[in-house]
Amino acid sequence: MEVSGNTEKKEEAVKVKAIEATAESFKEYGQVIDASADGQEFGPNDAQLDLSRGIPRFYIMHLENRPLKFRKITHHARVTQCLGSIGGHVWYLGVAKPSIVESKEIKGDAGTDTVQSRCGHFYVPPAVHEVRVFRISGPKFLKLNRGTWHAGPLFKEDNMDFYNLELSNTNVVDHTKHNFSKENGVIFTIYD
């Protein structure tokens, strides 16, 4: 199909096997938080949050029709984010490591892959081969490190509700997207 002299690109499907999110498997992207005994003091197994750049927002997010595929991925440069399904139902999250570049690290090279977000910070776009998918099941939630790329939550049901902790204006002033379909010609599909 031709549109204005340009040939429409066909997306290549990249199949990614979901792996269970555990403290060890997810450590490069954030934390998996499991239940702990009441009265236990704060420690390394608790979410290590950075909510210092605004007003925290904790809410229930209702999502519908989020099948196990994605073309776009997002990161938040100013905040950690926590996500967990209400009821401990199985869900999936595509991720890539944080790639925020501090402005003092940016060089004047014409060949650099560094991009400036509309939010003001600099980053290197995530690479197709670095995308991983995690399966999250049971009564636990994920804490995403600041800058972790994420696609989802995704799930097999028609709809699900999630706890979400971020800042009150995260999706307005701190929402950077990378479109794998447009930039890389791929769509990710998930299998167990």
Side-chain angles (χ1 to χ4, degrees):
M1 171 179 175
E2 286 216 8
V3 180
S4 303
N6 295 326
T7 304
E8 187 177 301
K9 283 192 216 174
K10 182 173 170 107
E11 295 173 324
E12 175 188 344
V14 175
K15 295 180 181 180
V16 182
K17 181 170 178 47
I19 59 172
E20 190 65 30
T22 65
E24 183 62 27
S25 68
F26 198 72
K27 69 182 180 182
E28 293 181 288
Y29 312 98
Q31 293 175 272
V32 176
I33 308 298
D34 289 301
S36 58
D38 186 33
Q40 188 172 345
E41 294 202 16
F42 179 78
N45 294 328
D46 295 307
Q48 307 297 306
L49 303 173
D50 179 358
L51 301 169
S52 63
R53 296 181 178 143
I55 299 168
R57 178 184 184 204
F58 181 63
Y59 65 103
I60 296 173
M61 178 173 64
H62 179 75
L63 299 176
E64 296 180 359
N65 190 28
R66 299 292 175 104
L68 304 186
K69 60 184 176 181
F70 60 95
R71 292 174 173 84
K72 297 176 184 174
I73 198 163
T74 299
H75 79 223
H76 308 301
R78 298 179 186 162
V79 67
T80 55
Q81 181 179 18
C82 293
L83 295 165
S85 74
I86 294 179
H89 303 289
V90 174
W91 57 287
Y92 302 81
L93 190 72
V95 296
K97 293 178 193 174
S99 59
I100 297 170
V101 177
E102 299 302 324
S103 57
K104 63 186 173 197
E105 297 173 12
I106 298 171
K107 302 193 178 358
D109 299 330
T112 185
D113 292 334
T114 302
V115 176
Q116 185 170 17
S117 167
R118 67 173 180 80
C119 302
H121 67 279
F122 293 88
Y123 67 94
V124 175
V128 170
H129 70 277
E130 292 181 353
V131 171
R132 301 292 178 265
V133 173
F134 288 92
R135 180 182 193 270
I136 303 90
S137 56
K140 56 185 160 191
F141 67 90
L142 298 182
K143 190 268 324 203
L144 301 176
N145 289 338
R146 191 173 65 86
T148 294
W149 292 95
H150 56 286
L154 307 169
F155 42 85
K156 295 177 183 176
E157 288 78 12
D158 291 335
N159 63 74
M160 284 180 68
D161 294 330
F162 292 84
Y163 295 110
N164 190 356
L165 174 62
E166 55 191 9
L167 296 180
S168 61
N169 61 357
T170 293
N171 290 320
V172 176
V173 300
D174 188 20
H175 196 224
T176 300
K177 283 188 180 182
H178 177 77
N179 186 328
F180 283 110
S181 177
K182 181 180 172 187
E183 302 297 328
N184 309 94
V186 300
I187 179 173
F188 293 92
T189 59
I190 301 167
Y191 68 98
D192 272 325

